[in-house]
Amino acid sequence: MAAPAGSLVAAVLAHSGRLDKEDLGTRIGRLSRRVEELKGEVCNMINKKYNEFLPSMQSAEELVSQVEGLSSNIDLLKAGIENEVQRDLNVAVAEFTELKQQLERDTLVLSVLKKLQEFDIAIKEYNTALLEKKYVAAAQQLETARSNLKMLESRKGFELKILKALGTELTVQTQNMLYHLGEEWQKLAVWKLPPSKESSSLESVVHSELHLHTVPSKEEEIAGPPVASVLQAFAVLGELHTKLKIFGQLLLKYILKPLISYPSLQPCTEEQSDVFILRFKSKESSLDHSSPVEVFDKIRLVFEVLHKYLLSSRLSSHKFSFTLAELLGDMIWEELSDCLIQNCLVNSIPTNSSKLEQYIEVIKSTEEFEKALKNMQFLKGDTTDLLKYARNVNSHFANKKCQDVIVAARNLMTSEIHNTVKIIPDSCVALPRLPDPGAGDRSKMPKASEVLHNDMGNLENKTKLSQYTFSLPTCRISSSVEKLMELAYQTLLEATSSTDQCCIQLFYSVRNIFQLFYDVVPTYHKENLQKLPQLAAIHHNNCMYIAHHLLTLGHQFRYRLTNILCDGAATFVDLVPGFRRLGMECFLAQMRVQKGEILERLSSARNFSNMDDEENYCAANKAIRQVLHQLKRLGKVWQDVLPVNVYCKAMGTLLNTALTEIVTRIAALEVTAFVTSTC
């Protein structure tokens, strides 16, 4: 401690400057004392800290010794675990795994045995129920046995040979059950069908009967199962659809379709104590097709009977719930409605627009028929194809009318051409008087005479044209063409009183008639038109007759048709040039044939040379006579057929051809003689 004190004193002296020796000594003593005090305090503090640290160090040393002891104990335990416990633990785990697997096998075996027991119980209860004719309970037991067998078969890795035997047994028992149910069903619904294979004839259908034994007597109420029990059992086994499908097909073939096809067939019913019989009787009828109202009444009677004695039963379980009427309706309604449409409603479509209002009764009857079937739960939904077809009568009427018109027109076009009628200027198509153009809702147009009278005043020319100025000249046309034109007028007249849609269809059907004539007649009668001059002339007149009417046909009906056609579409004028060309080409082709024959005959006249020679004279004479004969024959076949002006032009042209050829040949002789004499 002396060195620091000296340093301190020196520092003080250096700092304080000049000091007295006494003061310096006093201060040095004081400082020395202070240093001693500080030294004591430091020693006390160190002793105090040492006293406090010593117990901690001792406790730490004790802890270290304890840790070392624990570490040695852990090593001993670890060695013991590795040597003894681990071996015992592995053994325990293996034993646990084995016990667990054994438990799973035992559980599986127990469940399999339980399912086998349930299968056995179900089969026993099935046999008991079958003996007691409790078919629903028996069918349910079979389904229980089937579900147990399926569950056993679904367990992979646990195949049993007995399962195959159980499956065979289940199949045998199911077929046995179906056999008994089939026997009962055949007793409940008995079909007595005609032996003849021709089941579609009226005679065989009359002998068809359906006997429904669905009302058991008092003695059979206990032993005999009701129809619901049998059908419910079929439903449980999944065979009801097949049975009802067969029943539905027989119902369609032997009852429903014959009632639609034969107007004279009437259903007869007979109810006895334990059976209901449905049979037929035939009465005389002059109709070729049954009216929809009568057909609907007949079929409704059949369904009411079936609903009362068979189809009203409701079948239900945890898997399904429906009535027999619903199921049968789903099976046969589509085929039945198609038959009603094709064989009944189609034939009832009116052929005249005036009868369309009477068709409301058919629509109403169709609605009532479907409503009755819906009440019996035979039909589902709001509107069916049957009712849609009946309500769409306007479209069907138009289609049927157009089809009938085209068929009738084609029959006329393919008929014989040589059957003719004489057309004179006074001739007109036999039609009722057309209504006034301003009648109804059609556009009103002023008459041309009124317009001229109002606008022209007294400027009318006193010289008037003949009433026959624009008439077709006297000639002969085919009676079929006259009927064809009458058909066109009648169809257009029908269109004037029809709906807009029908009016348009009928109008264009008339146009199709003439377009069909343009394509069919020249092709169908091609050979005769080429060979027979008379038919060529008649065809020429036919085309001109049609073209003559086409000029004014559209104008006559323009303001009596629908407004869509009144805007200029109701015209046939565009067809006129084609028909005129068709007639002229055919007749000109025949003229070319006749010219060729005349020239061919004159070619055998040996150029009219050396008439002094007997052979040349005979050849020339024969050629001239053949030409005259040809012209006379043509005159006979054309004179009463062609119009006078056309006849004169045609005969004049042919005569001119003959004379020109003769003159040319004779003139050639003169030129030859002149050249010879000159040379």
Side-chain angles (χ1 to χ4, degrees), residues 22 26 89 164 184 203 308 318 339 389 486 514 660 673:
E22 294 179 358
T26 304
L89 183 61
K164 185 176 182 180
E184 295 294 344
E203 292 76 10
K308 181 179 179 181
H318 66 283
C339 184
Y389 186 93
E486 290 179 1
F514 298 117
T660 300

Side-chain angles (χ1 to χ4, degrees), residues 34-141:
R34 182 60 180 166
V35 168
E36 291 295 333
E37 291 176 1
L38 290 174
K39 181 179 180 181
E41 291 178 0
V42 170
C43 291
N44 292 334
M45 186 181 296
I46 290 173
N47 291 331
K48 185 179 179 181
K49 293 294 183 179
Y50 178 77
N51 292 332
E52 291 178 357
F53 171 73
L54 186 60
S56 298
M57 186 184 68
Q58 292 174 350
S59 62
E61 291 176 351
E62 292 177 359
L63 287 174
V64 170
S65 62
Q66 290 178 4
V67 169
E68 291 177 352
L70 288 174
S71 178
S72 62
N73 291 333
I74 289 173
D75 292 337
L76 293 174
L77 289 174
K78 183 178 180 181
I81 290 172
E82 291 178 353
N83 297 329
E84 297 179 3
V85 177
Q86 185 67 36
R87 183 177 64 253
D88 296 338
L89 183 61
N90 291 336
V91 174
V93 170
E95 291 178 355
F96 174 77
T97 303
E98 184 178 356
L99 291 174
K100 182 181 179 182
Q101 293 176 353
Q102 184 65 34
L103 178 62
E104 291 177 352
R105 285 195 298 269
D106 293 344
T107 303
L108 180 59
V109 170
L110 181 62
S111 63
V112 169
L113 292 175
K114 186 177 180 180
K115 293 299 179 182
L116 290 174
Q117 182 185 19
E118 291 177 358
F119 181 90
D120 183 66
I121 294 173
I123 293 297
K124 289 180 179 180
E125 292 182 355
Y126 151 76
N127 289 322
T128 302
L130 185 61
L131 291 175
E132 297 176 357
K133 292 190 177 182
K134 297 179 180 179
Y135 292 116
V136 177
Q140 291 173 347
Q141 292 301 325

